[in-house]
Amino acid sequence: GAVVSQHPSRVICKSGTSVKIECRSLDFQATTMFWYRQFPKQSLMLMATSNEGSKATYEQGVEKDKFLINHASLTLSTLTVTSAHPEDSSFYICSAKTEWGNQPQHFGDGTRLSIL
Amino acid sequence: DAKTTQPPSMDCAEGRAANLPCNHSTISGNEYVYWYRQIHSQGPQYIIHGLKNNETNEMASLIITEDRKSSTLILPHATLRDTAVYYCIVRASNSGYALNFGKGTSLLVTP
């Protein structure tokens, strides 16, 4: 089946550091990729939607200059958390979808980001 | 997308069938029912989806009522590894929008 690979799985870094998370679709072309964030004991919350070759669309309340998204190819999207602070600590999950019909959205295994 | 309602939690004995209900009374004609689950500290895993016919795959069965206002996900022989939060999501098949996750049902499979 379709596989989405997310890297790294865990990051621990100091406050002020910028962190890049990669999301790859391994066996299909992802015309659209999504980035979610999940705080403890809460459900996934959509941060942004990115389409290959165009600017990402951010959900209300998500700072686009804080969370930089690049979707340069049909198999790779990156999320960069710039100048991360402790309140940015969370579980970040990417997802990818093809344009074909009712094919489901597939998810990466998430990145646990801890800012000290 | 139509709203869904699921019980917050359920228990199931290992080896027994787990039947997880979902209400989606405002579902539209072109909207599919998708089921995902999230095991602790992992990304959501796709389970199954359907439009109006019952569906079965290697993981589960999906039973959709004739009026399509509710559905049931069936795990025929639950194992401890099936302990997870299960999400029922309704969305049009050609939607370019992301899946919206509610609170889901936390299923605990006990020995």
Side-chain angles (χ1 to χ4, degrees), chain A residues 32 34 36 38 42-44 46 49 51 91 93 97 100-110 112, chain B residues 32 34 36 38 40-46 49 87 91 93-103:
Chain A
T32 306
F34 308 97
Y36 294 79
Q38 185 176 33
Q42 294 186 21
S43 190
L44 284 76
L46 180 67
T49 300
N51 292 297
F91 191 49
I93 306 167
K97 183 182 182 300
W100 304 110
N102 65 357
Q103 291 303 307
Q105 203 173 306
H106 291 281
F107 291 80
D109 278 337
R112 177 75 58 190
Chain B
Y32 282 70
Y34 291 84
Y36 285 77
Q38 186 178 25
H40 183 62
S41 294
Q42 296 183 21
Q45 177 188 22
Y46 165 76
H49 73 286
Y87 297 96
R91 194 185 67 173
S93 64
N94 59 354
S95 170
Y97 295 105
L99 292 170
N100 291 315
F101 288 80
K103 296 183 178 180

Side-chain angles (χ1 to χ4, degrees), chain A residues 6-8 18-23 34-37 47-48 50 56 58 62-64 66-71 76-82 91-94 111 113:
Chain A
Q6 189 171 340
H7 179 79
S18 292
V19 178
K20 179 185 283 189
I21 302 169
E22 291 188 349
C23 180
F34 308 97
W35 288 94
Y36 294 79
R37 179 168 54 182
M47 298 175 65
S50 73
Y58 290 82
V62 178
E63 301 175 53
K64 63 179 182 180
K66 173 78 171 176
F67 300 98
L68 302 179
I69 292 172
N70 184 280
H71 190 170
L76 174 65
S77 176
T78 60
L79 168 68
T80 301
V81 183
T82 62
F91 191 49
Y92 292 85
I93 306 167
C94 75
T111 297
L113 176 62

Side-chain angles (χ1 to χ4, degrees), chain B residues 7-104:
Chain B
S9 64
M10 292 181 64
D11 291 349
C12 177
E14 188 178 20
R16 305 295 294 269
N19 298 291
L20 293 94
C22 179
N23 286 324
H24 31 79
S25 59
T26 61
I27 192 170
S28 300
N30 68 338
E31 290 182 316
Y32 282 70
V33 180
Y34 291 84
W35 281 85
Y36 285 77
R37 72 180 182 184
Q38 186 178 25
I39 296 170
H40 183 62
S41 294
Q42 296 183 21
Q45 177 188 22
Y46 165 76
I47 301 173
I48 199 167
H49 73 286
L51 182 63
K52 55 182 179 180
N53 296 323
N54 298 336
E55 302 287 342
T56 296
N57 62 21
E58 65 278 5
M59 291 184 68
S61 294
L62 174 60
I63 307 299
I64 303 174
T65 58
E66 191 169 346
D67 63 7
R68 304 210 318 125
K69 292 185 177 181
S70 65
S71 61
T72 301
L73 178 75
I74 301 173
L75 307 178
H77 305 286
T79 70
L80 299 179
R81 289 179 294 180
D82 291 323
T83 292
V85 179
Y86 287 76
Y87 297 96
C88 168
I89 303 169
V90 171
R91 194 185 67 173
S93 64
N94 59 354
S95 170
Y97 295 105
L99 292 170
N100 291 315
F101 288 80
K103 296 183 178 180

